[in-house]
Amino acid sequence: MKPQMDIPALQAFVAREFPQLGDDFVIEELTKDGVRVRLKVAERHLRPGGTVSGPSMFALADVGMYLAILARIGPVALAVTTNCAIDFMRKPAADADMICETTLHKLGRVLAVGDAMLYSVGLDAPVARASLTYSIPPSVGVK
């Protein structure tokens, strides 16, 4: 599906609708099937021992999938997460940014389903994988 929003439009939407996210997330690339988003890791994202916390990784996966969907359907603030399952596979690098690479598998009238792979900058293997489902308001879904 042809993107309805480019990176500047997505960034402006997030700044307007979700100012609480601040500058934590950077959209690096729109891909054929999703997006690549960076979490700029700061002290508030760390757990004891200096690694990125599970809630911070969940937020990265959720924001990444949300942006992948919005890039395709346009600025729909009420597209919401209905399910997320996350597998933490290995310890993230200490004090390193994280990258989320999303893949949309289904984008329909009322549901979107996809995966998010999370990587620590400096590590080759993914540290987590999330499977997410979003509900799309019926009036705006793919026809």
Side-chain angles (χ1 to χ4, degrees), residues 61 65-66 82 93 107 110 120 131:
M65 189 59 62
Y66 185 65
T82 59
L107 184 58
V110 294
S120 282
S131 175

Side-chain angles (χ1 to χ4, degrees), residues 26-125:
V26 177
I27 306 162
E28 293 191 337
E29 181 183 10
L30 290 178
T31 65
K32 179 176 74 81
D33 298 318
V35 297
R36 186 175 65 226
V37 178
R38 176 182 295 261
L39 170 63
K40 296 191 301 186
V41 173
E43 183 69 30
R44 68 184 167 280
H45 301 116
L46 303 180
R47 63 182 307 278
T51 59
V52 177
S53 70
S56 295
M57 287 191 272
F58 174 88
L60 176 58
D62 196 38
V63 167
M65 189 59 62
Y66 185 65
L67 293 170
I69 294 165
L70 294 187
R72 272 71 184 176
I73 67 171
V76 181
L78 294 179
V80 296
T81 310
T82 59
N83 189 55
C84 179
I86 188 165
D87 298 308
F88 299 102
M89 300 184 291
R90 55 190 49 86
K91 182 179 174 181
D95 293 326
D97 284 355
M98 293 202 65
I99 303 295
C100 173
E101 295 179 354
T102 65
T103 303
L104 283 170
H105 299 298
K106 176 191 188 295
L107 184 58
R109 289 182 301 109
V110 294
L111 288 179
V113 177
D115 287 322
M117 297 298 288
L118 304 181
Y119 298 87
S120 282
V121 172
L123 298 179
D124 291 333

